[in-house]
Amino acid sequence: MSPSQSVVLTARALERTLSRMADEIVEQNDGTDGLILVGIQRRGVQVAQRLAAVIATREGVEVPRGALDITLYRDDLQTVGPRPVVGRTEIPLTIDGMNVVIVDDVLFTGRTVRAALNELADFGRPSRVRLAVVIDRGGRELPIQPDVVGKHVEAERGDRVDVFVQEIDGRDEVILDTGKRA
Amino acid sequence: MTSPLGKDLLGLERLTAEQITLILDTAEPLKEISERAIKKVPTLRGATIVNLFFEASTRTRISFEFAEKRMSADTVNVATAGSSVTKGETLVDTARNLEAMKIDMVVIRHGSSGAAQFLADRIESNVINAGDGTHEHPTQGLLDLLTLRQRWGTLKGKKVCICGDVLHSRVARSNIWGLQKMGAQVAVCGPRSLLPNAISDMGVTVFDRIEPAIEWADALNVLRLQLERMQAGYIPSLREYNRVFGVTSERLKRAREDILILHPGPMNRGVEIDSDVADGPHSVILDQVTNGVAVRMAVLYLLSGNSPRLAEAAAGGT
């Protein structure tokens, strides 16, 4: 690891954080009724899967899950040049009247969540939408705030915060990289 | 600012296997949009697309229009079939007029081979070939590839026979190039009068009879026999054609159990294909139609990354 990098959460710490987040989600929802976890591609999908697994153990309920790929809803498509790869969106059931929890790995500007909210609206009208993120690194550019946060990180604009997950990256870890600071 | 596809989609002959794979991989997740309550994504909001059809078309034009609308583009349809103006002149004029109206993309169908290229060379907007003469019909080729890839997982090593009027068919040409680039083996089957003389130069196997072709193939792509071919003397009669080259359920008994039947439409039931085959368990004809919208959405999305007007806006914005 380069000197500009520091570990925000180890694998063990990430596991504890996810367990607490799962509890908070169920607590805020007053149970699991009408609950659906919708992960934002790519790592939000894995995080949602972990949260659902914790809920299944603690509550004995399989909470339905979905995936959103927000690429086609990005507000910077006109300026990014070569088209970004489009991932899969899967909303397995009607979300009308459901309590949707949007799940993502890192919350930064809020633009991804804005896109996700717009995309979600094209699938129906949930009775409530909440936002759960593993890391809130600040730096919002839109009026969006999370309901469930794993950990707050003080990061500057040029910093990177990466959530690594076993399923994609082969390890569980959260890293802050301040390498671009002057 | 460049799209991995370049500015235009004119034919599959010029695309690499990587570019074709990119289009198919992009089309795959876009299929889901057509299943939503609100069948629309905002991706091409503010983009203007002109559908310029110099030749009659129902299926392709509607498919493009659905694709454009589901991506939120503004569309204008220009149907010029029956125009008495000389074709060359019309196209130059049309190109200049379109440019003056600040459009972003043109989808062109034209009776002359090379018309899409001609237009692409003269305007800055993205040009998509929706069929030019007997040259290419790239989005049809791509939707055929997507349909087969969905069933098989891969096209590598698979055997596809294109049956019928290969001579006049732009669908056949786009299929041959696309399939070969993706590693499939390609054959053609039809009366010699409807096969190009130099067809074997394209690296395809030629079957003079339909029976061995059916036994050989993993999939048959059955082309539409245009009825005017009979009047022009290419074949003796439609009944004769059906008797010798028709894809019938009787003949399919000799095929592998999981053979796939494709047809670009519109079908002449009872001529090149029998109704019980078209509606039977091997047919993936309706999958082709569904995939057509997704493939066209993918092409619009990928080409839009190389729109000069949008590039200008981006340069101004930073």
Side-chain angles (χ1 to χ4, degrees):
Chain A
M1 192 158 42
S2 83
S4 66
Q5 295 182 329
S6 56
V7 177
V8 175
L9 291 172
T10 61
R12 287 282 297 147
L14 180 60
E15 196 185 324
R16 278 194 297 272
T17 300
L18 290 173
S19 297
R20 180 179 51 75
M21 288 173 68
D23 286 344
E24 276 187 46
I25 287 169
V26 176
E27 189 186 344
Q28 287 186 6
N29 193 60
D30 201 14
T32 54
D33 286 353
L35 196 60
I36 172 170
L37 304 182
V38 175
I40 298 178
Q41 292 279 18
R42 292 169 70 208
R43 285 169 183 76
V45 176
Q46 267 71 40
V47 174
Q49 197 177 329
R50 303 280 186 90
L51 293 171
V54 176
I55 295 173
T57 339
R58 308 241 175 142
E59 307 287 322
V61 177
E62 289 288 341
V63 173
R65 280 181 292 118
L68 279 183
D69 182 281
I70 56 97
T71 308
L72 299 169
Y73 289 74
R74 283 170 61 156
D75 59 7
D76 58 352
L77 269 181
Q78 308 224 333
T79 54
V80 293
R83 309 282 81 170
V85 173
V86 182
R88 225 166 252 289
T89 291
E90 273 168 290
I91 303 294
L93 54 149
T94 171
I95 57 168
D96 289 335
M98 298 281 282
N99 299 320
V100 176
V101 179
I102 295 176
V103 179
D104 207 357
D105 53 355
V106 179
L107 177 60
F108 181 19
T109 61
R111 288 179 190 272
T112 299
V113 176
R114 193 280 309 162
L117 286 168
N118 284 16
E119 181 161 23
L120 210 51
D122 286 350
F123 283 89
R125 186 178 184 279
S127 90
R128 169 120 209 195
V129 181
R130 287 191 173 88
L131 174 62
V133 295
V134 180
I135 300 295
D136 179 357
R137 57 167 290 181
R140 223 75 80 230
E141 292 169 1
L142 293 171
I144 279 168
Q145 78 279 330
D147 301 280
V148 175
V149 179
K151 193 175 172 70
H152 292 274
V153 172
E154 294 294 324
E156 289 182 13
R157 224 185 144 66
D159 296 349
R160 277 190 68 94
V161 182
D162 286 306
V163 174
F164 296 100
V165 293
Q166 192 72 42
E167 297 88 333
I168 296 174
D169 310 295
R171 66 191 159 120
D172 281 349
E173 203 170 37
V174 181
I175 300 283
L176 167 68
D177 190 334
T178 56
K180 292 232 174 80
R181 284 189 194 177
Chain B
M1 171 126 111
T2 50
S3 152
L5 297 186
K7 178 171 92 71
D8 312 299
L9 178 71
L10 302 176
L12 298 191
E13 186 182 8
R14 317 225 193 122
L15 295 189
T16 62
E18 289 70 38
Q19 287 173 315
I20 293 173
T21 304
L22 173 69
I23 299 172
L24 302 184
D25 287 351
T26 304
E28 205 75 63
L30 296 182
K31 284 179 71 177
E32 170 269 328
I33 292 163
S34 302
E35 312 279 326
R36 294 183 186 183
I38 296 171
K39 301 173 185 53
K40 220 176 184 40
V41 292
T43 316
L44 293 183
R45 224 152 44 104
T48 309
I49 304 180
V50 176
N51 298 316
L52 193 57
F53 279 69
F54 289 88
E55 237 185 32
S57 160
T58 309
R59 186 174 318 238
T60 303
R61 188 178 55 73
I62 290 175
S63 180
F64 265 110
E65 215 176 323
F66 272 132
E68 292 155 0
K69 295 204 153 117
R70 286 179 190 170
M71 300 295 273
S72 296
D74 293 318
T75 65
V76 178
N77 291 318
V78 185
T80 51
S83 158
S84 58
V85 193
T86 324
K87 276 174 184 165
E89 279 178 355
T90 306
L91 209 46
V92 177
D93 260 356
T94 311
R96 289 188 184 140
N97 278 288
L98 288 173
E99 265 199 311
M101 285 188 274
K102 309 291 177 204
I103 52 149
D104 298 292
M105 292 193 194
V106 180
V107 176
I108 179 175
R109 153 80 54 106
H110 199 284
S112 302
S113 305
Q117 173 81 64
F118 181 88
L119 192 66
D121 291 344
R122 281 161 184 78
I123 62 175
E124 286 203 338
S125 311
N126 308 116
V127 173
I128 301 174
N129 183 4
D132 61 331
T134 60
H135 173 230
E136 279 222 50
H137 189 351
T139 55
Q140 178 70 43
L142 288 165
L143 73 89
D144 291 341
L145 295 177
L146 183 64
T147 305
L148 293 172
R149 199 182 74 161
Q150 264 165 11
R151 292 294 174 127
W152 293 335
T154 178
L155 297 163
K156 219 171 207 96
K158 294 291 184 177
K159 299 177 197 163
V160 181
C161 184
I162 300 162
C163 309
D165 184 2
V166 177
L167 181 63
H168 299 96
S169 176
R170 51 197 175 209
V171 176
R173 254 163 277 276
S174 288
N175 258 276
I176 292 170
W177 278 309
L179 286 163
Q180 285 181 340
K181 280 170 200 279
M182 298 305 285
Q185 297 179 53
V186 186
V188 296
C189 172
R192 280 284 166 173
S193 57
L194 290 177
L195 297 181
N197 283 329
I199 186 73
S200 43
D201 293 350
M202 289 185 81
V204 300
T205 310
V206 179
F207 288 105
D208 288 313
R209 295 173 51 79
I210 190 82
E211 290 83 0
I214 287 175
E215 281 177 35
W216 174 86
D218 295 313
L220 298 179
N221 198 342
V222 187
L223 301 175
R224 168 184 166 75
L225 185 81
Q226 287 169 313
L227 303 181
E228 51 273 29
R229 302 296 171 234
M230 187 183 69
Q231 283 118 33
Y234 287 100
I235 54 163
S237 77
L238 296 180
R239 182 186 293 192
E240 168 94 0
Y241 184 87
N242 179 257
R243 205 174 54 74
V244 182
F245 288 102
V247 178
T248 63
S249 51
E250 187 56 39
R251 288 193 166 120
L252 280 187
K253 283 179 186 160
R254 302 166 65 170
R256 40 179 306 149
E257 232 169 66
D258 54 356
I259 192 169
L260 299 177
I261 307 292
L262 296 90
H263 192 298
M267 287 184 278
N268 294 308
R269 289 169 182 264
V271 182
E272 71 268 7
I273 188 166
D274 276 11
S275 270
D276 50 354
V277 174
D279 307 327
H282 300 291
S283 169
V284 289
I285 295 170
L286 291 177
D287 292 0
Q288 288 175 274
V289 179
T290 307
N291 286 336
V293 177
V295 146
R296 290 174 179 120
M297 287 169 79
V299 170
L300 295 171
Y301 171 69
L302 292 168
L303 287 183
S304 71
N306 202 353
S307 160
R309 194 179 65 84
L310 298 181
E312 223 170 86
T318 47

